[in-house]
Amino acid sequence: MTETAPGSEQFMDLVSRLITAQPELTPIQAGIIVAAQQNIAHDSRTFARLLGLAHALVLRELNVLLQSGDAIELVKRDDRTLRTFYTPTVAANDAFLPLSKSTSDLPGAPSHNGCVNNGLP
């Protein structure tokens, strides 16, 4: 039996909600947006590693998002490795807010003081 990482079901639920709300997004694009908004990953290499995807595939999907300019903004790009750092736009955060649960409700999510919420009081 395969175990899933804590919070992975919630992550996939948020990705699914975002795809439903914005069907033009691919699953990888929606995952990039959700991961950035939930402070899971803010760069292409980390996102690729965490999801077990090829970095080149993530870069391709990320470039589509960056070209649209609606959801993700470029922070910096490493010229040698092409590792791309990004942040969600204000418009993306506003559009995403009604879709997401409170991040403090998610196990393992950062609390408002930056500490990890393990579901303990």
Side-chain angles (χ1 to χ4, degrees), residues 1 9 23-24 43 45 68 80-81 90 100 106-107 115:
M1 184 160 92
E9 289 180 20
E24 69 278 4
D43 71 88
R45 180 80 60 194
S68 75
R80 187 179 59 83
T81 66
V90 172
S100 68
L106 299 175
C115 297

Side-chain angles (χ1 to χ4, degrees), residues 49-72:
R49 181 179 46 81
L50 290 174
L51 272 73
L53 299 170
H55 188 230
L57 179 60
V58 173
L59 287 173
R60 183 174 64 195
E61 298 291 334
L62 181 58
N63 283 328
V64 171
L65 288 173
L66 288 169
Q67 288 175 358
S68 75
D70 297 341
I72 297 291

Side-chain angles (χ1 to χ4, degrees), residues 6-7 38 40 102-112 114-119:
Q38 297 295 310
I40 296 168
S102 171
T103 55
S104 61
D105 293 341
L106 299 175
S111 67
H112 295 289
C115 297
V116 172
N117 171 11
N118 290 321

Side-chain angles (χ1 to χ4, degrees), residues 10-11 14 32-42 88 93 96 100-104 106 108-110:
Q10 290 89 353
F11 173 78
L14 292 173
I32 290 168
I33 294 167
V34 170
Q37 290 171 325
Q38 297 295 310
N39 292 318
I40 296 168
H42 286 279
N93 282 333
F96 183 76
S100 68
K101 300 176 185 175
S102 171
T103 55
S104 61
L106 299 175

